[in-house]
Each structure stands twice: as C-alpha cells, then as structure tokens.
Amino acid sequence: MAEIAAPVERPEVESGDQTAPLRGREPGYLVVCWNDPVNLMVYVTHVFMVVFGWPKPKAEQHMLEVHTKGRSVLERASLERAEFYVHKLQAYGLQATLERDDT
Amino acid sequence: MKLLRRAADRYEFLFGRREQHVFCEVLRAFPVTPLEHHRVTRGTATPALSGAQQLLHEALTDFKQEARRRLELFLAETHRFAPHRDGLRASFTGEEMEWLLQVLNDIRVGSWLQLGCPDPDTGQRPKLTPENARYLPLMEAAGAFEYALLAALDGTEGVGWGPLRRDD
C-alpha cells in the first residue's frame, strides 16, 4: 500500500473478532484483501468502513494488517455473500479475493 | 482542491482554474484498469470459483460502463463548476464523492499497471517509455484528488498534499 505522510495510530485489537475463521463452523469462503503498493492507506481504510460498515479503528486494524502482513481476512461468509463483498471491494480497486475456508 | 464547507450531505470545494482543468482531464481517462486485472481468487480454481470469476467480470463490466456513462454527463455539465473569486466552486453529494473515489482509483491503479507496477518500498521505479509516460502524472494526480476527497469525508485537512495556491 502506498504510504501516507502522517502516521496512522495503531488501533486497539478487538477481542473476539468475528472475522477470524473459527473451527467447527460450516465450510465457507474467506474474503481476503492483499497488499499492493498503489492503493493509499487512507483509501483502503475508507473502503473497509464503507463496504463493511466498520468503525474506523477496526478498518485501520485490517488496513495495517494488509500493509504489514501482506493480507488480511476481512470476512468469512457463504460463497454468495463473499462474492458480494469481493465485487464491492474490486469496484473500489482493491485486490480482494475469495478463498475457500477449509478450517 | 480545497474543501470550503460541508453542509448536510454536500461537500463544496474550491478548485484553481488549472486544477479544475487537470481534474476533468484526469477523469476523462477512465477507465484505465483492464478487466483482466480483476481476479476473484488466488487459490485453486474450482467450478464454483470459475463461475465466480465470470460473475465478477460481468459485474465490473456493467459497473465501468455505467460509471463511464455517468462521467460523460458529469463532464458535460456546464454548471457543475461555478465561478468564484479564487477559482471555481463545485459541490458533490456524499454519493458522488464515493463514485469519484472509485473512478479516480481505477485511473490510479490502471496507471500503476501501465507503469510496470512500481514499488517504492523495494526501490522499484516506474518503467517509463514514450508510450506509457503519460500514466505517471495521471497516477499521481488521481492520488492527489483522492486525498482531497478522503480528507473532506474524514473531516481533516488531509495529509501529504496541499491545494495549489496560484492559477494561470
């Protein structure tokens, strides 16, 4: 992701994040966002807030995960729901994919 | 491009005259990102995911066609930019701001692809040729306008970029 001039404050990590895949749940699909050097960090945060309706700290947490770890799992959902999110994210130009969750 | 005021769901901006010209010229480039760039998965292809890939391309084809149609109307609106003492004034609804962000980012990402996907973090510079040189200013200008829109939406002054001060 392209850097911004101002530092981004690292938000508190939420406990019990519902986007994390959990064992024992029905098989589904993960919505994954991948890092790239072109999308602006503030833009990625904004898109997460718009598409998922997340508060800014949670959106920033996932944006920073994308930036530092190369990817972030944003959601776990049925194929239809995961496709919906991927379409939305890609219409904003983010590198978002859906991956089968076999955990 | 400077936010003058926000009232209800409208954001009013001041553009310098050259800046407004650049803004419209950048928008005119849309779409830049090719459909092939949009991949639905990085995992193993399955019949379900092949269908999902086709659906994604169909959805984005429709989206880009509609955005292009809307953009042509936007650029043809003679009253969109009104004269102001310091340049030109234009206001956008929140929905228009989101649409502009999507259009500008398509231009930014597509330009980055045209430049060989440079990565400043690894020291990889744009692969400039006479054919793709125009994409470098296009990518940077699209990003600058994105910053201005995002700062307005976020209620901040923005970061990393300031509005041009002088025209003409």
Side-chain angles (χ1 to χ4, degrees), chain B residues 1-15 82-86 88-94 97 148-149 151-157:
Chain B
M1 185 177 179
K2 178 182 178 184
L3 181 68
L4 290 176
R5 67 182 65 85
R6 178 188 175 179
D9 189 40
R10 293 202 79 85
Y11 299 79
E12 189 176 19
F13 291 93
L14 173 66
F15 289 79
H84 180 279
R85 184 189 59 206
D86 298 321
L88 295 159
R89 200 162 36 90
S91 70
F92 309 126
T93 65
M97 298 274 280
L149 293 173
L153 286 166
D154 194 43
T156 62
E157 287 294 314

Side-chain angles (χ1 to χ4, degrees), chain B residues 132-145:
Chain B
N132 73 5
R134 76 183 186 96
Y135 290 103
L136 184 56
L138 202 54
M139 179 178 75
E140 297 300 342
F145 289 122

Side-chain angles (χ1 to χ4, degrees), chain A residues 3 8 20 26 44 46 51 59 64 71 74 77 80 98 101-102:
Chain A
E3 296 279 359
V8 176
E26 289 182 9
V44 175
H46 174 78
V51 171
L64 286 170
R71 57 170 250 168
L74 306 179
E80 189 179 358
L98 53 90
D101 178 20
D102 294 319

Side-chain angles (χ1 to χ4, degrees), chain B residues 52-138:
Chain B
Q53 180 65 64
Q54 190 177 343
L55 273 178
L56 176 67
H57 278 182
E58 288 171 4
L60 290 172
T61 298
D62 290 347
F63 168 77
K64 291 187 188 207
Q65 283 176 350
E66 173 58 21
R68 180 68 215 177
R69 187 195 64 78
R70 185 175 177 180
L71 185 60
E72 282 167 11
L73 294 174
F74 178 91
L75 293 170
E77 283 177 349
T78 52
H79 300 299
R80 169 67 71 172
F81 293 91
H84 180 279
R85 184 189 59 206
D86 298 321
L88 295 159
R89 200 162 36 90
S91 70
F92 309 126
T93 65
E95 192 273 333
E96 285 174 327
M97 298 274 280
E98 289 300 324
W99 170 72
L100 284 168
L101 279 171
Q102 289 176 308
V103 167
L104 287 166
N105 205 57
D106 177 280
I107 295 163
R108 181 170 166 81
V109 171
S111 299
W112 174 74
L113 292 169
Q114 291 285 343
L115 293 165
C117 306
D119 183 355
D121 288 347
T122 60
Q124 188 190 344
R125 299 168 65 87
K127 295 167 185 161
L128 287 177
T129 66
E131 289 73 32
N132 73 5
R134 76 183 186 96
Y135 290 103
L136 184 56
L138 202 54

